[in-house]
Amino acid sequence: MNISVVICTHNRANLLKDALSSISCASIPYDCSIEVLVIDNASADNTQSVIKDFSETSNNLDVRALFEPKLGKTYALNRALNNVSG
């Protein structure tokens, strides 16, 4: 089974770091694969560096980042729908 976790964020890098850490602590069944897709919704803070740092240090999660330049949750979710595998 493939599971996709989608996080849409706008200028909440500190909360994003905590969210990714929490997800990485989850117990994942052996027959599941999980991907975490972070949609950076036109953030002006250090969201991209948080994603990059986490993806480089996390051994158990596939973390991918996408950028959505149009501000709005609907735009971010639509960007995610075109890119999830789970």
Side-chain angles (χ1 to χ4, degrees):
M1 176 186 328
N2 294 332
I3 299 171
S4 297
V5 176
V6 175
I7 301 172
C8 299
T9 187
H10 173 73
N11 289 337
R12 299 194 185 257
N14 292 338
L15 294 174
L16 177 61
K17 187 175 183 179
D18 293 342
L20 292 171
S21 294
S22 293
I23 294 168
S24 71
C25 293
S27 177
I28 302 169
Y30 71 92
D31 60 343
C32 288
S33 64
I34 186 169
E35 70 172 346
V36 178
L37 187 60
V38 181
I39 310 300
D40 178 355
N41 193 204
S43 296
D45 63 0
N46 63 330
T47 294
Q48 285 295 321
S49 64
V50 168
I51 298 166
K52 183 177 183 254
D53 291 346
F54 192 86
S55 63
E56 289 175 353
T57 59
S58 177
N59 295 330
N60 62 335
L61 282 181
D62 173 24
V63 179
R64 293 187 299 137
L66 294 173
F67 185 76
E68 174 52 55
K70 292 181 183 177
L71 188 57
K73 186 175 180 181
T74 303
Y75 294 115
L77 289 171
N78 284 334
R79 172 76 60 175
L81 286 176
N82 293 326
N83 290 279
V84 294
S85 64

